Amino acid sequence: MINRVLIRLKIVQIVYAYYQNGGKNLDTAEKELFFSLSKAYDMYNYLLLLMVEITKQAERKQSAAKNKLLPTEEELHPNTKFVDNRFIAQLEVNKQLLEFSETQKKTWENESEFVKRLCEVIMNSDIYKEYMAAETDSYAEDREVWRKLYKKLVYNNDALDAILEEQSLYWNDDKEVVDTFVLKTIKRFEEKNGEAQELMPEYKDEEDREFAIRLFRRAILNDEDYRSLINQNVKNWEFSRLAYMDVIIMQIALAEILSFPAIPVSVTINEFVEIAKYYSTAKSGGYINGIIDSIVKKLRA
């Protein structure tokens, strides 16, 4: 699940923090990098558990309505299609997810008010109403309704973002990337796999982990060389007046370009320009693009 987009993002954060803390201990900073990446994987599992918890809340809501003093006919005989969703039933007993919940002691119990509100939003949505009214009934539909609900109501949810930020400082900027993997996971589920359905692995392969180590260490150990290249190619602007985050981003981009020749230069530049748009000034993306492109052309020549 931890891909190179997320690795680059985390390296920018950790390298920046490394220098802000005086640049004293590279090994400690590297451990912090991998701990930060592991927390992103925790968020992935935690968001999968959220779908299960919302379904449990819908079931509690139906039970409460049925047991009130004067329930309506509809409350006595509710449509249980949503609470009996087969995709969620499979997710609830997933071996890997259960192991995560047990070992990390992560549940949504302390966020019951948020879960209730989100459940209400879901049950009032057109996606939910269309699903409940459909005459057809299949596992594929059970899975698809949650893909739609997640993309529409969980993907960009400010209240959820605030909760995640409160729970972990490491979750501040990860959700957008992690969300894409939750959606991929939903699409990958197959009923025949039951509780043994595989979730996304923490790393696709050992190569990505090696990529993280090598890029992180090269960016710091060769920082003087990279900053010299940047200084030589700054146009109409003193190096000392560059935004410090811009320098960090360009330093890491150069480390990738010079250490991983198999990665197209255009891919590397585009990735770090996107990071600059998020972390630095409004003009940083274009400025970084221009400087890195200039450096690459001179190096090739």
Side-chain angles (χ1 to χ4, degrees):
M1 185 220 82
I2 295 171
N3 65 358
R4 295 193 178 187
V5 173
L6 188 59
I7 289 170
R8 291 181 182 101
L9 187 68
K10 287 296 185 183
I11 288 176
V12 167
Q13 294 172 358
I14 300 299
V15 169
Y16 182 83
Y18 171 80
Y19 288 115
Q20 291 297 99
N21 293 329
K24 295 178 181 177
N25 195 317
L26 187 61
D27 290 336
T28 300
E30 187 180 281
K31 288 177 183 176
E32 181 73 3
L33 168 64
F34 283 102
F35 180 75
S36 179
L37 287 167
S38 73
K39 294 300 289 183
Y41 193 64
D42 287 350
M43 185 201 288
Y44 162 74
N45 285 276
Y46 193 49
L47 289 171
L48 290 174
L49 285 173
L50 176 60
M51 293 185 284
V52 174
E53 191 59 35
I54 289 167
T55 306
K56 289 180 179 178
Q57 172 56 31
E59 188 172 12
R60 289 191 289 267
K61 182 179 171 67
Q62 284 190 347
S63 296
K66 187 185 295 186
N67 294 324
K68 72 181 188 180
L69 189 59
L70 294 171
T72 64
E73 184 65 23
E74 185 179 350
E75 288 170 335
L76 282 171
H77 303 93
N79 182 347
T80 62
K81 187 176 182 180
F82 185 74
V83 300
D84 292 335
N85 184 287
R86 283 157 290 196
F87 160 71
I88 294 297
Q90 183 185 6
L91 185 62
E92 186 176 3
V93 297
N94 181 270
K95 288 182 178 179
Q96 289 176 254
L97 195 58
L98 286 173
E99 183 182 357
F100 164 79
S101 184
E102 290 167 6
T103 57
Q104 300 296 322
K105 308 299 180 187
K106 292 294 292 182
T107 73
W108 286 89
E109 289 179 5
N110 294 331
E111 305 297 342
S112 58
E113 288 305 312
F114 167 75
V115 172
K116 287 177 184 178
R117 289 195 301 272
L118 183 54
C119 184
E120 285 292 332
V121 171
I122 284 173
M123 295 177 78
N124 287 319
S125 69
D126 291 338
I127 296 170
Y128 174 88
K129 290 173 183 176
E130 289 171 11
Y131 166 74
M132 297 296 279
E135 295 182 2
T136 53
D137 183 21
S138 68
Y139 176 86
E141 289 170 298
D142 285 357
R143 183 182 57 201
E144 178 62 12
V145 72
W146 267 106
R147 188 192 68 80
K148 290 179 179 178
L149 288 169
Y150 194 97
K151 191 171 184 179
K152 181 74 174 177
L153 301 173
V154 182
Y155 199 105
N156 290 310
N157 187 307
D158 292 340
L160 176 56
D161 291 349
I163 285 171
L164 294 174
E165 286 181 19
E166 285 178 8
Q167 291 196 21
S168 175
L169 293 172
Y170 295 94
W171 288 352
N172 286 359
D173 306 314
D174 298 349
K175 186 171 179 290
E176 188 174 343
V177 176
V178 174
D179 278 335
T180 63
F181 287 101
V182 174
L183 289 168
K184 285 180 181 178
T185 300
I186 295 171
K187 290 178 69 175
R188 286 176 52 174
F189 257 60
E190 294 184 26
E191 188 173 19
K192 65 181 181 181
N193 293 333
E195 63 184 16
Q197 171 71 49
E198 290 188 2
L199 303 181
M200 305 287 281
E202 185 169 7
Y203 289 92
K204 182 182 68 177
D205 50 40
E206 188 61 27
E207 189 177 328
D208 279 350
R209 185 178 173 84
E210 289 300 320
F211 170 80
I213 294 171
R214 190 174 176 190
L215 179 58
F216 174 72
R217 285 189 166 266
R218 290 287 179 90
I220 292 175
L221 294 174
N222 298 326
D223 57 358
E224 291 184 8
D225 293 336
Y226 301 143
R227 292 189 184 193
S228 175
L229 286 170
I230 295 166
N231 190 22
Q232 293 167 31
N233 287 272
V234 173
K235 296 178 180 179
N236 304 320
W237 202 257
E238 293 178 13
F239 180 83
S240 61
R241 294 178 63 194
L242 290 175
Y244 191 57
M245 179 56 83
D246 289 356
V247 174
I248 296 295
I249 291 170
M250 286 188 281
Q251 181 177 322
I252 300 167
L254 287 171
E256 181 171 319
I257 289 167
L258 295 173
S259 302
F260 300 92
I263 300 175
V265 171
S266 59
V267 170
T268 298
I269 292 176
N270 288 339
E271 290 288 345
F272 285 99
V273 164
E274 286 303 310
I275 291 174
K277 289 177 183 176
Y278 188 81
Y279 278 114
S280 202
T281 67
K283 296 181 179 179
S284 290
Y287 193 67
I288 287 171
N289 184 46
I291 293 176
I292 297 297
D293 186 57
S294 176
I295 292 171
V296 169
K297 284 178 180 176
K298 288 182 181 178
L299 289 174
R300 280 175 171 163

